[in-house]
Amino acid sequence: MAVIPIDTTPPTFENAQQELDYLRGAYQEYQGLKKDVARVCGAVARGDLTQKIEEGQLKDVVNTMVDNLGLLADEVKKVSFEVGTEGKHHGKAQVPNAEGAWREITDAINDFASNHALLIQDIQKVAKGVAQGDLTQRIELDVQGGTLDLKNTVNDMAVRLQVLALEVARVSLEVGSQGKLGGQARVPDVEGVWFELVRNVNRMCLNITDEIRSVANVSTALSRGDFTQKMGASFDGEMNTLKGAFLFCPLKPPS
């Protein structure tokens, strides 16, 4: 953003007439310049950055101002479109030699774009981790306001999924491999489909516990010569077939 200097060198006159003529010309130029400046500034206020001053001492200064504003507006629009629409998360506003408020605006836009890019990358990291079974990833970016709510929501999702996965793995190992019957998955504040999943896992563990204990009870009784014990639990599928086989066992040992 170049700054155009204004010529402030005072004129010299040979006589009073020259000075009078100069003042008349300067007044007429001032009147025309005043109208031109008012026209251009009014256009800038309306968002029209195409208007320019055609002549006069302030031509370069005012036109440079308009050009700088146009460049800033184009850069802000470019970054907003790239980051917000096209998903190009490394876009930056390039405004050469920007100073003062224009530098602050440019820096603010670039900071926004950079923070947005970092947030999207963190969300992508967590989502990709979940998709690949890695539930340890979290959003680390320091944010505030509504973005903080988003960060907490995504991280809470990852934490709940991690707790859920750990509990399901623990119960499956205890009941299915270690023979610790009666185990239950405990996932606090679980809702929706996750609540249904936990409930189904716990129901499966209870059914397996009942089935194994019923078989163990009847088998132990038979080994002791007690033919009065029966599998009392209600079973489905292959476990029901097994129950039927036990029902056909003799009620007493052969004489």
Side-chain angles (χ1 to χ4, degrees):
M1 285 187 169
V3 177
I4 306 300
I6 299 177
D7 184 9
T8 57
T9 304
T12 57
F13 308 102
E14 295 181 359
N15 52 56
Q17 185 62 44
Q18 283 186 349
E19 183 175 1
L20 181 60
D21 292 341
Y22 173 82
L23 291 175
R24 286 174 178 170
Y27 177 76
Q28 291 177 351
E29 181 180 348
Y30 165 75
Q31 292 296 324
L33 182 60
K34 183 174 70 172
K35 292 180 181 179
D36 269 354
V37 171
R39 173 177 57 81
V40 173
C41 291
V44 170
R46 295 191 300 271
D48 179 5
L49 301 178
T50 64
Q51 301 298 314
K52 299 291 178 64
I53 292 179
E54 300 300 331
E55 58 184 0
Q57 190 177 17
L58 293 178
K59 171 185 174 182
D60 291 338
V61 175
V62 174
N63 288 350
T64 298
M65 176 196 74
V66 175
D67 289 340
N68 289 343
L69 288 174
L71 176 59
L72 178 64
D74 288 342
E75 285 295 299
V76 170
K77 181 169 65 175
K78 173 182 71 73
V79 172
S80 300
F81 182 72
E82 288 180 351
V83 175
T85 303
E86 294 184 332
K88 297 178 180 178
H89 301 305
H90 299 286
K92 293 287 186 181
Q94 305 290 338
V95 184
N97 303 318
E99 298 176 337
W102 310 129
R103 169 52 59 189
E104 292 177 3
I105 292 175
T106 302
D107 290 344
I109 287 294
N110 288 338
D111 287 344
F112 163 77
S114 178
N115 289 337
H116 179 77
L118 291 174
L119 178 63
I120 293 298
Q121 289 172 0
D122 262 6
I123 293 176
Q124 184 182 32
K125 176 188 67 175
V126 175
K128 186 176 180 180
V130 171
Q132 295 177 344
D134 178 5
L135 302 177
T136 64
Q137 300 299 322
R138 301 290 185 269
I139 294 178
E140 307 293 346
L141 188 65
D142 185 17
V143 292
Q144 298 176 340
T147 307
L148 178 60
D149 292 337
L150 175 60
K151 171 185 175 180
N152 291 337
T153 299
V154 173
N155 285 346
D156 183 60
M157 175 198 71
V159 169
R160 290 194 179 196
L161 287 176
Q162 186 178 29
V163 172
L164 176 65
L166 291 174
E167 280 296 292
V168 170
R170 177 187 64 81
V171 171
S172 300
L173 179 65
E174 288 179 354
V175 176
S177 299
Q178 297 177 347
K180 297 179 181 179
L181 303 179
Q184 294 281 278
R186 304 190 183 281
V187 185
D189 302 323
V190 70
E191 298 175 331
V193 67
W194 308 126
F195 174 79
E196 294 296 327
L197 177 60
V198 173
R199 184 169 66 176
N200 288 337
V201 168
N202 286 339
R203 184 183 294 128
M204 177 191 70
C205 291
L206 285 176
N207 288 341
I208 291 175
T209 298
D210 289 343
E211 292 165 359
I212 292 177
R213 285 175 176 170
S214 290
V215 171
N217 182 55
V218 174
S219 299
T220 301
L222 288 174
S223 68
R224 294 173 179 175
D226 179 1
F227 289 81
T228 64
Q229 300 299 317
K230 298 292 182 291
M231 296 176 64
S234 176
F235 301 127
D236 295 320
E238 294 185 27
M239 283 304 299
N240 191 51
T241 303
L242 179 60
K243 176 181 178 180
F246 273 94
L247 288 176
F248 283 105
C249 286
L251 298 178
K252 59 181 179 179
S255 54

